[in-house]
Amino acid sequence: MKIRVLGAAAGGGFPQWNCNCPNCDGLRKGTVNARARTQSSIAVSGNGVDWVLFNASPDILAQIRGFPALQPARALRDTGIRSVVLMDGQIDHTTGLLMLREGKPLELFCTDMVREDMTTGNPLFNILGHYCGVNWHRLPIEPDNRFSVVGGEHLEFTSVPLKSKAPPYSPHRENPHIGDNIGMRIRDTRTGKVLFYSPGLGEIEPHVVAYLEEADCVMVDGTFWTNDEMVTLGISSKRARDIGHLPQSGPGGMIEVLKPLRASRKVLIHINNTNPILNEDSPERAELARVGIEVAFDGMDIEL
């Protein structure tokens, strides 16, 4: 199984266009040892030719330009992207669908709840119907589901429902439903190796533990370092856990969760521009390195 990190940042990217926090300001001025990142998305392949795109960020065109495997090579109009899987309906994970409108109908996999949001509160599916069109495939969320995905040769997929709010535009924003947000277990049927991918993991629910403990590579929510990160900086009154993200530090934080896992690769993705781990010389980054946790970057390749 080949995994390509197309984008590693949270919504807004890094640096964020309107942000002057120490990270963003330092990156622009060259005073912080960090690298720019686009909004989070990965691509996965079982054969190195056909790729499954997980989330379509607003930066998808730049991400395709940076990864030849997704570019046209076999026909006059072509792409290595065979299907798209949406983990949720968030703006930073879906807006890129509009950039893919010139091609054939999109083979698009998402839950019933995400499809509902994408045809009501944010009707991108309806809009795409006037261009390339969408072939919708329902992502199952029943226990122990296993399914295949178009273009996912040699790969077996399992959706893992996660507790989370729907996007702010959703008609049921304050009435969460199962299927608003999922994680994904991806198993290579030839090697038996397993990836668990969850860019929006706000709580370690009991049923999630087994997936984390089984995985050979864990790629999970790295949005914030502390629960009050945005509050301390004066950017927002909301804390990390309030908006569905488990901070890395502190009791019950992501470091504590990841540290004992057997996975050979433990990777944080969907990193907010305010997170000090973006500074490669920061003590927070050093702390991650000491416990074997990596920070995803655009262009990162992993093979299982």
Side-chain angles (χ1 to χ4, degrees), residues 97-116:
L97 293 173
L98 294 174
M99 302 300 104
L100 306 178
R101 65 188 182 276
E102 293 88 359
K104 297 177 181 178
L106 298 175
E107 301 294 340
L108 202 146
F109 293 73
C110 68
T111 65
D112 289 317
M113 297 314 304
V114 171
R115 180 175 184 263
E116 180 179 312

Side-chain angles (χ1 to χ4, degrees), residues 5 8 37 219 267-271 278 294-298 300:
V5 175
R37 288 165 167 84
M219 187 174 286
V267 183
L268 298 174
I269 194 169
H270 192 273
I271 304 155
L278 290 170
E294 303 173 68
V295 179
F297 56 88
D298 293 21
M300 183 183 204

Side-chain angles (χ1 to χ4, degrees), residues 2-6 41-44 51 66-68 299-302:
K2 296 180 183 296
I3 305 157
R4 172 76 171 207
V5 175
L6 300 174
S41 174
I42 67 170
V44 177
W51 293 80
F67 189 35
M300 183 183 204
D301 287 309
I302 297 174

Side-chain angles (χ1 to χ4, degrees), residues 80-250:
I81 300 171
R82 294 292 309 283
S83 60
V84 183
V85 175
L86 299 180
M87 308 294 285
D88 52 49
Q90 298 290 343
I91 289 289
D92 57 315
H93 287 162
T94 58
T95 312
L97 293 173
L98 294 174
M99 302 300 104
L100 306 178
R101 65 188 182 276
E102 293 88 359
K104 297 177 181 178
L106 298 175
E107 301 294 340
L108 202 146
F109 293 73
C110 68
T111 65
D112 289 317
M113 297 314 304
V114 171
R115 180 175 184 263
E116 180 179 312
D117 282 341
M118 300 293 287
T119 53
T120 56
N122 182 26
L124 289 185
F125 288 8
N126 302 342
I127 295 171
L128 288 169
H130 295 282
Y131 297 90
C132 60
V134 170
N135 290 333
W136 175 62
H137 305 264
R138 178 183 179 271
L139 279 186
I141 53 175
E142 297 76 21
D144 301 319
N145 64 82
R146 297 186 183 189
F147 57 94
S148 59
V149 167
V150 176
E153 185 179 359
H154 306 304
L155 302 177
E156 174 190 84
F157 300 80
T158 304
S159 299
V160 183
L162 303 174
K163 187 181 295 184
S164 179
K165 283 187 174 183
Y169 67 79
S170 172
H172 67 276
R173 166 70 169 177
E174 302 304 328
N175 181 24
H177 289 65
I178 295 176
D180 286 334
N181 180 31
I182 60 168
M184 189 68 68
R185 172 191 185 265
I186 309 170
R187 177 178 175 271
D188 189 309
T189 58
R190 298 159 300 178
T191 66
K193 298 290 186 178
V194 172
L195 164 68
F196 180 72
Y197 174 59
S198 178
L201 186 59
E203 181 179 331
I204 307 301
E205 302 170 74
H207 72 279
V208 174
V209 174
Y211 291 103
L212 293 171
E213 292 178 340
E214 171 204 26
D216 298 283
C217 176
V218 175
M219 187 174 286
V220 292
D221 193 331
T223 310
F224 297 112
W225 179 257
T226 60
N227 191 43
D228 61 353
E229 187 171 306
M230 301 278 276
V231 177
T232 300
L233 287 169
I235 293 173
S236 172
S237 61
K238 295 182 179 179
R239 289 169 166 75
R241 294 176 190 267
D242 296 336
I243 55 177
H245 297 288
L246 184 66
Q248 281 106 63
S249 63

